[in-house]
Amino acid sequence: MPHMTAFARNQWYVAAYSHEVGREELLGRTILGEPLVFYRTEEEGTPVVLHDRCVHRRYPLSESRLDGDRIVCGYHGFTYDTTGTCVYVPGQKRIPRTARVTSYPVVEQDSLVWVWIGDPALADPQTIPRARHLDSPGWTTVRGMEPIDADYGLLVDNLLDLSHETYLHGGYIGTPEVAETPITTEVDEGAGIVRVSRHMDDAACPPFYAKSTGIEGRITRWQDIEYHAPCLYLLHSRIAPVGVLPEADGSDPNGFHTEITYAITPSADGKVYDFWMVSRDWATEDDEVTEFLRGNNHTVVMQDVDALNLLQKTLGTERTGYQELSINIDTGGLAARRILARLVEEGDKPVEKVQ
């Protein structure tokens, strides 16, 4: 097997989109190897996350049903409240003391449902990084999620080095300038944040943007990545016709701003959930643009999925001790690997996030 990126357990991870968690159907997801079940309470509508296996015969609670705010196991009827405490067992009054499933800290923020798998005493909601554009007025978002049969570290690598757009995503978001333009990288080790920037002053406009914005001709194109280890990746993207620069005060009336967000959530060894979102502050009411960006970005994501599935298989056949070659474009990815390794080592201390 290829080397696996270890899991940092005392961290917040995106487990679902808000719209995925409801009462009609129980949602099952595996996060950091832990099977979880998600639902909402009847009155307040707050999300609940419990371990997804009945204590009795390990039947998945996500394949069971709700009775009010309680889950009734679909196999023998063991019933659990929102804290994971068993409140009913069939055929007897006495409930065994060990009849309980773990309940996990959960926070709903910016249309994402975050869960904490590690020590619940360390779960501080204030440390969750923000992605306010996902449910702010003036922004429209398309989103999806693809499971990948690859180590989550490979997806972190992929997203922190966008030069692959030129080769893997040509005809969609890639143009020659992406690979040819040097990057700048800043690392805030303490906060666990990696920033990678690529500013292209004169670039071809890729179909993804040409068809959605109507820009003809060449563009300035800025890609500013902000990766909050371990889970949240923000790509602040700006395009404008060549020669149109932001005002001195930073306002940018003639630029098109797109926020591309990824949540990189390890499911189990060699498996990762790839949550992808594209938010825009232009043509926000235009359904045609929305559907174009949804379809186009899904295609781009599937190109990554196929590439990473292939890469994982390939790494699995490598002889022990093979050597990777890294170059300047890998600076951000290597910094992310370093931070992830530190978070795993520290284990007990959640990373300090800067809001």
Side-chain angles (χ1 to χ4, degrees):
M1 283 293 287
H3 167 72
M4 291 290 177
T5 312
F7 302 147
R9 290 179 72 81
N10 284 323
Q11 300 292 327
W12 290 99
Y13 291 92
V14 172
Y17 292 123
S18 287
H19 73 262
E20 294 182 291
V21 179
R23 292 189 54 81
E24 297 301 312
E25 283 182 24
L26 294 159
L27 174 70
R29 287 263 152 89
T30 301
I31 310 289
L32 273 56
E34 301 288 337
L36 308 177
V37 58
F38 297 78
Y39 66 98
R40 289 184 186 278
T41 57
E42 206 163 18
E43 294 293 312
E44 293 84 26
T46 50
V48 177
V49 186
L50 302 177
H51 192 71
D52 188 23
R53 297 289 181 266
C54 179
V55 291
H56 175 233
R57 290 291 179 265
R58 316 305 295 161
Y59 192 79
L61 296 177
S62 56
E63 298 297 327
S64 301
R65 67 177 177 86
L66 283 176
D67 175 10
D69 286 348
R70 297 167 169 186
I71 291 189
V72 181
C73 177
Y75 195 12
H76 296 100
F78 277 63
T79 302
Y80 302 90
D81 68 15
T82 56
T83 69
T85 304
C86 184
V87 293
Y88 169 83
V89 298
Q92 62 184 62
K93 287 274 186 281
R94 192 184 70 79
I95 295 171
R97 199 172 38 80
T98 55
R100 60 179 310 113
V101 295
T102 306
S103 157
Y104 297 87
V106 57
V107 171
E108 189 168 18
Q109 181 173 281
D110 304 329
S111 79
L112 303 172
V113 177
W114 295 80
V115 68
W116 181 278
I117 300 295
D119 178 351
L122 298 173
D124 178 3
Q126 296 302 312
T127 63
I128 299 175
R130 300 303 303 251
R132 291 180 173 86
H133 50 272
L134 293 176
D135 60 1
S136 284
W139 291 87
T140 297
T141 300
V142 296
R143 61 184 83 210
M145 189 276 279
E146 301 299 332
I148 310 180
D149 290 324
D151 178 20
Y152 81 100
L154 295 181
L155 181 55
V156 175
D157 274 354
N158 170 283
L159 292 171
L160 280 165
D161 170 23
L162 294 182
S163 69
H164 80 273
E165 288 184 353
T166 301
Y167 302 96
L168 193 60
H169 306 307
Y172 291 89
I173 55 176
T175 67
E177 294 82 9
V178 182
E180 288 163 9
T181 305
I183 56 166
T184 60
T185 308
E186 286 175 41
V187 184
D188 185 335
E189 295 276 356
I193 299 173
V194 181
R195 292 184 173 86
V196 180
S197 293
R198 184 182 264 109
H199 289 182
M200 296 157 265
D201 293 331
D202 185 351
C205 189
F208 183 82
Y209 286 119
K211 289 181 181 165
S212 56
T213 64
I215 288 182
E216 293 171 8
R218 295 180 71 80
I219 56 169
T220 57
R221 184 179 183 187
W222 295 359
Q223 295 175 326
D224 294 299
I225 296 168
E226 199 182 311
Y227 169 60
H228 297 254
C231 189
L232 191 72
Y233 169 99
L234 307 169
L235 168 59
H236 313 295
S237 165
R238 174 199 180 271
I239 67 159
V242 161
V244 176
L245 292 172
E247 306 290 329
D249 64 1
S251 64
D252 194 1
N254 299 303
F256 293 82
H257 300 97
T258 311
E259 292 286 344
I260 296 170
T261 311
Y262 281 86
I264 304 161
T265 302
S267 171
D269 278 342
K271 290 185 182 297
V272 59
Y273 294 121
D274 179 357
F275 291 89
W276 57 269
M277 296 141 265
V278 179
S279 311
R280 68 185 193 277
D281 67 353
W282 42 275
T284 53
E285 303 295 320
D286 192 322
D287 292 344
E288 234 175 286
V289 172
T290 297
E291 289 316 307
F292 172 78
L293 292 179
R294 188 195 311 280
N296 211 272
N297 204 68
H298 179 254
T299 302
V300 167
V301 169
M302 291 312 296
Q303 290 171 335
D304 281 333
V305 170
D306 292 344
L308 295 180
N309 283 343
L310 175 61
L311 185 55
Q312 182 76 18
K313 278 188 192 146
T314 308
L315 291 173
T317 64
E318 288 282 3
R319 67 183 190 282
T320 310
Y322 68 88
Q323 287 296 306
E324 272 188 336
L325 169 69
S326 293
I327 57 172
N328 188 48
I329 58 172
D330 302 308
T331 312
L334 293 174
R337 288 184 191 183
R338 209 167 54 237
I339 288 168
L340 289 172
R342 176 174 62 76
L343 295 183
V344 171
E345 265 175 52
E346 287 181 354
D348 302 332
K349 290 188 298 192
V351 65
E352 289 173 34
K353 296 286 186 196
V354 179
Q355 292 301 317

